[in-house]
Amino acid sequence: MFQIRQRVVFALSVSGASLSRDTLFLVGRMVVWKGAMIAALLAMGCPSSGTFVCLDDAECGAQGQCEAPGFCSFPDDQCPSGRRYEPLAGEGLASRCVPAADESTGTATDSASASTSGTTTLSTGSAGETTASVDSTTTSATTSDNGNPSIVIDPRTRYQTLDGMGIQAWDFPIADPDWNWDAAALAFDDVDIHYVQLITLFSDWEPANDDADPYSTNDAAFDPGGEIAAEDIVMGQWMVDRGYELNVQKVLLPGWMTVADYEVPAEQYAEFAESVISYQAALEASGIPQTEIDLWQAGTAADAFKTPAAAAAAADAVLNSLDVFGVERKLLTPSVPGSIAEEWLSVWFESADRAEQTAAVSVRGAATSEFADFQAVAAWGEEFNVPVWGYDNWYCGSNDGCPAAPATDSTTWASAWEMAQQNYRLIAGAHASRIYHAAMVGFQPSLDPATGAKLPTFYVLQHFANWIPPGSVYLSSVAENPAVFSVAVERPDGSYALILLNTDFVSNDVEVSLATDQNLSLGATAQSIAGEYMTQLASADEAGLVFSLPPSSISSIEFLLP
């Protein structure tokens, strides 16, 4: 039988600096990490804020180009011009497509139709429906009879079933006197989330090795300072009482378990497994069920385990320890950016045992905006029949990595807009069935810590969470205008929801239709742009199917069937 403990200490070392929960404090709307914690976060790849003005291409770095307004752009095949301004561009151009200029006229070129192409694998269901594989394509949209670019929803071509949206929540706000939990609860009531990933400073759980045997536990060595009992467990119980399913993510493992740069050496894999399993056992003993183990820590799995082979070996050690302790738990694959997921997942799935014990393929929306990277992740999930879970961590979608872009500031629309595009890529590209938003509370929260006021990133979460309930099925939808990204779902009640992102620098009108002969009627709508959130979106025609989309806007639309 596995025993639990309830204590906590602290004292961890990152880059030679001693850190504790006392280095965290709240100022106004955001969490500020003092001294060494700032360096630690920067080492994880967290970008800085501000506007970057360029003078020439060299200042933009690899693949960068200094555009005429003085801001950098990077390749993006989802823009008509093939390039997108970086999120640090000013003058309202952040994250927008660079206009495709016609050399003879200097005007932006218009696309007469939009299509996707590739290999289509379809199976026909009993009702004439088709289920498409991850690289299914060859769908086209044409201009509507009214002359508006069309968006065609095809309910016959169906992809993943979504099981709802989730959030990440740092553990420390539960004990912070400046955090207004009554106000926060009201905000939680306004967003339809179903999953929480609790982020814990893991050095507080086992600051010193409990004993020399990784297959036996010394209860007195765990939580010696009481932070886990006072913060993690209290917050976990609060979340569970609200009906959320909770799992755990670890940040900053104790120094005795790691070497330089957060790395867990091979000789500590069994100790790492014991620490994680014992921590989750403590949560379960306090009424917080646990079903998965996430190897993610301190940025990405690549921080704790420097190679795909190391992460696979650590996973094998965890699976062995689960057997020793008689605990049933499945694993999430290493949470790495889509740009390197192919390399990591190919090693992970070499083992039949790891494949069988995989709860989900885990992928970050950050660090790349290449749609093909996310499609590759979807292919792994499809091949091994496991779902894909996405994370919109750190609001970074630069093709060239994240050293300088964008701002990780949840108070800005720039960060919220980047988050929205990550959500699109995770659902449409990686075919994620679940997305965890970083973060509802704690570091860069979506809520004001003192008042519970909703910040811009909260509204993006609301657009996706409130319009895509569990059990919704992601459908094919094709926008004629390639600057408009679309996510269409059929909801369990038979209605449709459509989320539209206008990534252009100008407003765009679109007309929505079904590929079948069914008629649509307009239901609830909401639209968000910088400074104006969740306002009603009015249709521009009597039928309720034509909409005007402002630049850098998110629109959520419900369609009912007669």
Side-chain angles (χ1 to χ4, degrees):
M1 205 51 192
F2 201 84
Q3 293 192 355
I4 318 296
R5 34 278 165 188
Q6 231 111 69
R7 274 175 68 227
V8 142
V9 135
F10 137 62
L12 73 127
S13 177
V14 178
S15 301
S18 179
L19 306 178
S20 77
R21 290 170 187 258
D22 292 336
T23 64
L24 300 170
F25 62 98
L26 297 172
V27 175
R29 291 184 169 183
M30 58 189 296
V31 176
V32 178
W33 293 50
K34 292 196 289 188
M37 184 62 81
I38 294 175
L41 286 176
L42 291 175
M44 293 180 203
C46 303
S48 60
S49 62
T51 297
F52 179 76
V53 177
C54 60
L55 297 177
D56 54 42
D57 293 348
E59 293 186 344
C60 295
Q63 301 186 59
Q65 182 173 305
C66 188
E67 302 291 344
F71 306 114
C72 296
S73 72
F74 293 91
D76 190 331
D77 57 13
Q78 295 182 27
C79 290
S81 65
R83 303 193 69 82
R84 184 184 299 277
Y85 284 108
E86 69 161 321
L88 287 182
E91 299 179 8
L93 298 174
S95 298
R96 296 179 182 175
C97 291
V98 175
D102 183 297
E103 292 184 356
S104 62
T105 64
T107 59
T109 60
D110 291 323
S111 139
S113 65
S115 65
T116 55
S117 60
T119 302
T120 304
T121 305
L122 302 175
S123 59
T124 304
S126 58
E129 298 173 345
T130 56
T131 301
S133 70
V134 293
D135 26 337
S136 105
T137 51
T138 319
T139 308
S140 63
T142 57
T143 303
S144 70
D145 292 339
N146 295 325
N148 297 304
S150 65
I151 295 176
V152 180
I153 302 171
D154 190 347
R156 301 166 301 182
T157 305
R158 309 165 75 82
Y159 298 89
Q160 75 273 24
T161 298
L162 292 102
D163 51 346
M165 301 290 287
I167 62 165
Q168 292 180 318
W170 294 70
D171 56 0
F172 58 83
I174 195 73
D176 195 294
D178 294 329
W179 194 279
N180 185 334
W181 278 96
D182 290 335
L186 295 176
F188 273 82
D189 290 342
D190 286 342
V191 63
D192 187 21
I193 57 173
H194 299 269
Y195 308 94
V196 174
Q197 188 167 66
L198 182 66
I199 302 178
T200 180
L201 296 179
F202 210 65
S203 58
D204 289 338
W205 174 247
E206 191 180 0
N209 195 353
D210 68 316
D211 58 34
D213 183 359
Y215 302 110
S216 68
T217 57
N218 172 18
D219 291 354
F222 297 97
D223 195 17
E227 283 92 344
I228 302 300
E231 299 180 14
D232 299 44
I233 288 175
V234 174
M235 178 178 280
Q237 290 170 335
W238 189 87
M239 298 292 185
V240 169
D241 287 345
R242 295 185 64 87
Y244 306 144
E245 179 184 309
L246 187 142
N247 63 23
V248 177
Q249 183 184 104
K250 302 158 294 300
V251 173
L252 301 178
L253 297 175
W256 66 267
M257 192 184 292
T258 61
V259 292
D261 299 326
Y262 311 106
E263 181 178 5
V264 179
E267 61 269 20
Q268 296 287 20
Y269 289 169
E271 292 287 358
F272 168 81
E274 178 202 32
S275 193
V276 172
I277 293 169
S278 62
Y279 172 86
Q280 291 190 310
L283 296 185
E284 287 204 309
S286 300
I288 306 168
Q290 298 289 288
T291 57
E292 301 93 25
I293 289 180
D294 188 353
L295 297 183
W296 193 102
Q297 90 89 16
T300 70
D303 291 320
F305 311 106
K306 298 300 181 183
T307 66
D316 292 340
V318 172
L319 291 174
N320 180 65
S321 294
L322 288 170
D323 288 340
V324 171
F325 290 119
V327 176
E328 291 189 10
R329 201 93 76 225
K330 288 198 170 186
L331 307 183
L332 302 182
T333 66
S335 179
V336 294
S339 55
I340 61 172
E342 178 78 13
E343 176 188 4
W344 284 69
L345 292 174
S346 63
V347 174
W348 180 275
F349 284 112
E350 286 175 353
S351 162
D353 189 34
R354 283 195 299 272
E356 183 180 352
Q357 296 302 317
T358 297
V361 173
S362 175
V363 62
R364 292 170 59 203
T368 179
S369 60
E370 293 290 349
F371 206 71
D373 291 337
F374 296 96
Q375 289 177 313
V377 173
W380 283 104
E382 182 179 86
E383 179 177 350
F384 289 93
N385 196 31
V386 293
V388 175
W389 292 355
Y391 302 83
D392 62 12
N393 303 51
W394 305 123
Y395 321 108
C396 181
S398 168
N399 281 327
D400 195 33
C402 308
T408 57
D409 184 352
S410 56
T411 67
T412 70
W413 181 247
S415 286
W417 179 236
E418 173 57 32
M419 169 192 164
Q421 295 175 82
Q422 285 191 39
N423 277 247
Y424 162 75
R425 291 190 288 267
L426 289 167
I427 294 174
H431 285 188
S433 61
R434 179 186 307 184
I435 296 175
Y436 286 93
H437 162 58
M440 186 78 153
V441 296
F443 180 67
Q444 292 296 351
S446 290
L447 302 175
D448 185 292
T451 66
K454 302 163 187 174
L455 303 180
T457 52
F458 177 92
Y459 295 105
V460 173
L461 173 64
Q462 214 173 16
H463 271 281
F464 284 87
N466 290 11
W467 260 258
I468 306 178
S472 298
V473 178
Y474 175 58
L475 304 176
S476 169
S477 64
V478 179
E480 179 186 1
N481 185 340
V484 177
F485 297 171
S486 62
V487 172
V489 301
E490 181 179 320
R491 303 195 288 195
D493 63 2
S495 63
Y496 297 114
L498 182 64
I499 300 175
L500 301 176
L501 278 62
N502 180 18
T503 68
D504 215 340
F505 65 103
V506 296
S507 294
N508 283 301
D509 291 343
V510 297
E511 182 167 354
V512 181
S513 64
L514 280 179
T516 61
D517 58 2
Q518 295 170 296
N519 293 319
L520 294 174
S521 61
L522 185 61
T525 66
Q527 187 174 80
S528 294
I529 58 175
E532 298 179 22
Y533 309 116
M534 303 306 288
T535 59
Q536 186 172 352
L537 171 63
S539 175
D541 73 331
E542 293 183 1
L545 301 177
V546 177
F547 303 93
S548 182
L549 309 178
S552 298
S553 65
I554 308 170
S555 302
S556 296
I557 309 168
E558 176 188 43
F559 294 106
L560 308 174
L561 294 176

